[in-house]
Amino acid sequence: MGPWVVLALLAQDPSATLEQRAAAFLQGPHPFDERATVAEEIGAAISGQADLDAHGRLTLLFVRTMRSALGAIPMDARNREPYRAFLQRHQGEAVYSEPAGQWMLTPDAIWALHDANRASASAESIAWEAVDNGMPGECEGYPPCELATLDGLDGEYLRRHPGGAHVAEVLRRIGDTCAELERLLSAPNGHELFNPVSDCVDLTPKANALEAAMRGTGADASDSMRALATLRGRCP
């Protein structure tokens, strides 16, 4: 980006300096304190931004820089400064995921930010951040949990952005996950992971929700539909 473009952006939008700084910042490695400072500067700037698309761009950068800051917190640093104060300031937005051994944004926090910027040009990108961020915890191959995770991330993306840039990727993820679950259940010890008598009450609604989300895209989801149908076919 040439200096004349930067000057033009500064003239049009007072937040451009912060946006450009954050975008460049995300391209390289930085210590936690720098990541936290940038994330909180962006967070503070969001509320003062009246322009719809600028608000969305700042929100997207906030999500990305917060993910970067949280990812830089050591596993055993919950009660050490400067991490403790940062986590306290963002209580409700951050959660520790035991299996991953790291701090992350809660999916609900990202979806709330997405919905607040749904009319902006950055909405789809924010939704993809929710999918890429993932869900805390570990399902360990338990089908109702795995489908609940898929529906809470990939399904939500499809429902909010049925024509989004990542639809094909999301459809593949759903199909691949269902195929892997079926492979696990077909193994000799598969019965240990799934009991139709007790587990279908949770699995079936999530399978139905995912099917509806895939159909709503209008894209070719035939392979993923078949994989999901095979898994759902284990229920009466």
Side-chain angles (χ1 to χ4, degrees):
M1 180 178 291
W4 55 91
V5 178
V6 173
L7 290 174
L9 286 171
L10 290 173
Q12 295 172 9
D13 184 356
S15 70
T17 301
L18 182 57
E19 286 186 42
Q20 291 168 5
R21 176 188 171 195
F25 185 85
L26 287 166
Q27 297 176 13
H30 301 279
F32 166 78
D33 58 346
E34 292 182 14
R35 301 187 198 197
T37 296
V38 171
E40 293 190 322
E41 284 183 12
I42 295 171
I46 290 174
S47 61
Q49 180 53 258
D51 180 79
L52 179 69
D53 284 332
H55 193 283
R57 292 195 305 270
L58 284 173
T59 300
L60 176 61
L61 286 170
F62 174 71
V63 171
R64 289 174 174 170
T65 52
M66 275 294 292
R67 289 183 62 192
S68 175
L70 289 168
I73 300 177
M75 290 176 59
D76 59 350
R78 182 194 304 259
N79 295 315
R80 301 203 319 261
E81 297 298 354
Y83 313 108
R84 185 173 69 88
F86 181 79
L87 291 171
Q88 287 180 339
R89 288 195 297 274
H90 296 282
Q91 190 173 12
E93 295 176 303
V95 63
Y96 185 73
S97 179
E98 289 284 354
Q102 70 178 37
W103 287 89
M104 61 191 296
L105 282 173
T106 67
D108 285 348
I110 303 179
W111 287 126
L113 291 170
H114 167 272
D115 291 348
N117 292 273
R118 190 161 192 163
S120 79
S122 299
E124 188 272 340
S125 295
I126 298 171
W128 179 246
E129 288 293 321
V131 178
D132 189 58
N133 178 75
M135 193 79 72
E138 175 59 57
C139 292
E140 299 180 340
Y142 178 54
C145 176
E146 297 284 1
L147 287 196
T149 296
L150 276 179
D151 189 55
L153 298 176
D154 302 76
E156 284 299 320
Y157 175 89
L158 296 179
R159 284 186 283 272
R160 285 168 163 84
H161 296 280
H166 296 277
V167 164
E169 182 175 353
V170 167
L171 292 175
R172 283 194 301 272
R173 282 163 52 100
I174 294 172
D176 289 348
T177 300
C178 290
E180 175 61 14
L181 288 173
E182 181 61 25
R183 185 189 69 79
L184 292 173
L185 295 181
S186 297
N189 64 339
H191 63 280
E192 298 176 4
L193 292 172
F194 185 69
N195 181 348
V197 174
S198 58
D199 294 335
C200 284
V201 67
D202 293 321
L203 183 141
T204 300
K206 295 304 181 184
N208 292 342
L210 281 169
E211 180 184 7
M214 289 193 286
R215 290 191 185 282
T217 67
D220 180 7
S222 54
D223 290 343
S224 297
M225 289 283 197
R226 280 193 292 271
L228 178 62
T230 299
L231 185 63
R232 185 173 48 193
R234 290 182 173 269
C235 293

